[in-house]
């Protein structure tokens, strides 16, 4: 086995929190209509508090730290926090819309030697990008920021959330990524807001478009058998989320608070929070009766406890989008066969 993968497997078994995503701020210079952040009426962590959190994460064994937002560059102290993270030997990833990057800031970001900078590309024309993200000359500013980073040797990946509004530009977005010489990822899942409000549901891709996109994937989906002890995701085992106010959550989707860093040390929250204990002990197919008996189980890789909790108030329930995606994967591989229905009520697939 690959030594790095062997290390990660051991850390998972030991429940070491080796990967943490940190929403440094909910502020942003753009206004993406599908943004799931719900800002609170309380102060975000101060610089001093953020630096103390870094020390706590280092003591807990965190190896990889992803800074996201909002827009991370909207925090004036971002570089102070990120430099300290590198001094503590974290491998860092940065998620940004890239529109605020200047030559000087690109120099500073390159000096951090991030593992990866992820940039959202939500269209290939100025009109579509502005329709999704707002702002002025947004696409030009995104591409300009990306080029500034690439010119300094920074690894950049473009991420495209595919929606009704931008689906017709998917090939053009792929072409832009090829032109820039960077990896390009497409995802189909529009997340409800952190408070469960599903305001952008109408932008989810229609079933027939999911089938088409799965059929175009370079690496066809390989169905894999489930087992009662199998997990649909690794939530609670080795990673978690910190929001701008110091609240720890199991992941970016599952907004059940585990504790506040303004009240408890990180290691105490990670080891003792009831939600983490439950996820480690019970989060298997054996505790998901609908998923365990579903005829599409082997085609489902998108089931998310956070999405299920937001949609149904139940950590162990299915959620509609994952079931639709499983149907779409099945149909893309078996176009001449009837599409099985999930093991819970869902309208038949088209």
């Amino acid at each position: 086995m690959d030594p790095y993968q062997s290390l990660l497997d051991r850390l998972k078994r030991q429940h070491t929190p080796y990967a943490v995503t940190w929403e440094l701020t909910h502020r942003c210079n753009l206004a993406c209509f599908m943004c799931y952040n719900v800002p609170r009426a309380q102060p975000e962590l101060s610089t001093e508090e953020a630096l103390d959190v870094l020390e706590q994460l280092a003591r807990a064994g965190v190896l990889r730290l992803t800074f996201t937002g909002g827009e991370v560059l909207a925090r004036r102290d971002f570089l102070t926090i990120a430099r300290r993270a590198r001094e503590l030997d974290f491998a860092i990833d940065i998620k940004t819309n890239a529109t605020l990057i200047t030559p000087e800031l690109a120099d500073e970001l390159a000096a951090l030697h991030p593992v990866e900078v992820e940039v959202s590309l939500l269209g290939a024309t100025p009109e579509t990008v502005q329709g999704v993200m707002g702002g002025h000359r947004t696409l030009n500013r995104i591409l300009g920021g990306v080029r500034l980073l690439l010119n300094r040797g920074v690894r950049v990946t473009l991420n495209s959330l595919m929606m009704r509004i931008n689906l017709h530009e998917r090939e053009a977005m792929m072409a832009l990524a090829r032109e820039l010489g960077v990896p390009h990822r497409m995802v189909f899942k529009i997340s409800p807001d952190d408070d469960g409000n599903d305001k952008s549901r109408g932008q989810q891709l229609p079933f027939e478009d999911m089938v088409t996109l799965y059929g175009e994937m370079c690496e066809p989906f390989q169905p894999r058998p489930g087992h009662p002890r199998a997990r649909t995701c690794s939530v609670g085992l080795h990673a978690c989320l910190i929001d701008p106010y110091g609240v720890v959550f199991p992941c970016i989707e599952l907004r059940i608070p585990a504790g506040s860093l303004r009240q408890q040390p990180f290691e105490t929250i990670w080891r003792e929070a009831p939600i983490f204990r439950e996820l480690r002990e019970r989060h298997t197919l054996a505790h998901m009766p609908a998923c365990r008996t579903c005829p599409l189980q082997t085609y489902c890789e998108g089931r998310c406890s956070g999405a299920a909790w937001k949609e149904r108030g139940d950590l162990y329930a299915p959620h509609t989008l994952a079931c639709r995606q499983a149907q779409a994967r099945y149909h893309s591989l078996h176009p001449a066969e009837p599409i099985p229905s999930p093991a819970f009520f869902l309208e038949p697939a088209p």
Side-chain angles (χ1 to χ4, degrees):
M1 178 183 289
D2 177 272
Y4 178 67
Q5 187 59 50
S6 179
L7 169 64
L8 296 188
D9 290 343
R10 177 169 61 81
L11 294 177
K12 287 181 183 179
R13 291 193 299 271
Q14 296 172 346
H15 297 160
T16 299
Y18 67 77
V20 170
T21 298
W22 188 350
E23 293 175 334
L24 284 177
T25 182
H26 280 163
R27 285 173 285 141
C28 187
N29 61 310
L30 298 176
C32 298
F33 65 71
M34 72 294 175
C35 180
Y36 50 76
N37 289 154
V38 180
R40 300 185 191 180
Q42 60 180 281
E44 297 179 347
L45 293 175
S46 66
T47 305
E48 183 179 358
E49 288 175 312
L51 295 178
D52 179 66
V53 169
L54 287 175
E55 301 288 341
Q56 294 186 50
L57 298 180
R59 290 195 296 271
V62 175
L63 301 178
R64 192 157 185 171
L65 191 55
T66 298
F67 291 122
T68 185
E71 171 49 52
V72 292
L73 300 180
R75 273 196 74 133
R76 294 183 179 180
D77 59 356
F78 170 72
L79 289 174
T80 299
I81 296 168
R83 289 189 193 110
R84 182 57 182 153
R86 292 297 293 120
E87 289 172 358
L88 291 169
D89 290 328
F90 290 110
I92 67 171
D93 299 278
I94 301 169
K95 294 189 178 185
T96 174
N97 62 43
T99 61
L100 299 177
I101 296 176
T102 62
E104 295 74 22
L105 185 52
D107 290 339
E108 298 280 7
L109 294 175
L112 295 171
H113 301 291
V115 175
E116 181 179 61
V117 174
E118 296 185 35
V119 177
S120 294
L121 180 67
L122 300 177
T125 62
E127 296 76 17
T128 297
V129 172
Q130 187 163 352
V132 176
M133 308 177 79
H136 177 63
R137 299 181 64 251
T138 303
L139 179 59
N140 286 342
R141 291 160 63 199
I142 290 171
L143 297 178
V146 168
R147 290 188 176 101
L148 287 171
L149 294 175
L150 293 176
N151 290 340
R152 289 156 177 79
V154 177
R155 287 186 288 270
V156 176
T157 294
L158 295 178
N159 291 330
S160 296
L161 174 60
M162 303 311 301
M163 303 172 282
R164 291 175 185 265
I165 192 174
N166 64 9
L167 181 62
H168 65 288
E169 294 182 0
R170 69 183 185 277
E171 292 184 1
M173 286 188 272
M174 294 167 62
L176 270 175
R178 288 194 298 270
E179 176 188 328
L180 292 165
V182 301
H184 180 234
R185 302 185 188 123
M186 288 192 299
V187 296
F188 313 151
K189 177 185 174 185
I190 303 176
S191 297
D193 294 356
D194 294 340
D195 61 5
N197 179 25
D198 201 0
K199 66 179 186 295
S200 303
R201 183 175 184 177
Q203 281 292 332
Q204 294 279 12
L205 292 182
F207 179 80
E208 57 273 15
D209 289 326
M210 290 184 194
V211 173
T212 298
L213 289 174
Y214 284 130
E216 292 176 353
M217 293 293 188
C218 296
E219 298 181 6
F221 179 79
Q222 296 294 325
R224 40 190 173 275
H227 185 279
R229 291 193 298 273
R231 299 173 63 93
T232 59
C233 70
S234 58
V235 63
L237 295 184
H238 62 83
C240 65
L241 171 79
I242 302 172
D243 80 0
Y245 318 99
V247 180
V248 179
F249 298 92
C251 74
I252 205 161
E253 290 280 8
L254 184 51
R255 298 283 175 151
I256 296 178
S260 170
L261 294 171
R262 284 174 163 154
Q263 299 170 2
Q264 294 175 284
F266 176 80
E267 288 191 84
T268 300
I269 295 171
W270 176 256
R271 295 295 175 189
E272 300 180 10
I275 183 59
F276 281 131
R277 288 185 173 183
E278 177 174 356
L279 290 169
R280 290 165 194 157
E281 294 170 5
R282 290 174 48 83
H283 198 261
T284 63
L285 279 173
H287 295 94
M288 302 174 190
C291 295
R292 187 177 69 244
T293 60
C294 180
L296 287 163
Q297 179 200 117
T298 59
Y299 294 85
C300 182
E301 67 173 11
R303 191 227 168 246
C304 170
S305 292
W309 178 69
K310 288 176 182 177
E311 183 179 21
R312 301 178 182 276
D314 183 353
L315 286 170
Y316 304 102
H319 66 93
T320 303
L321 180 60
C323 296
R324 272 285 184 255
Q325 289 177 328
Q327 289 180 314
R329 289 190 194 94
Y330 182 92
H331 190 52
S332 70
L333 294 172
H334 310 285
E337 298 180 17
I339 304 172
S341 295
F344 84 111
F345 177 77
L346 182 70
E347 304 83 10

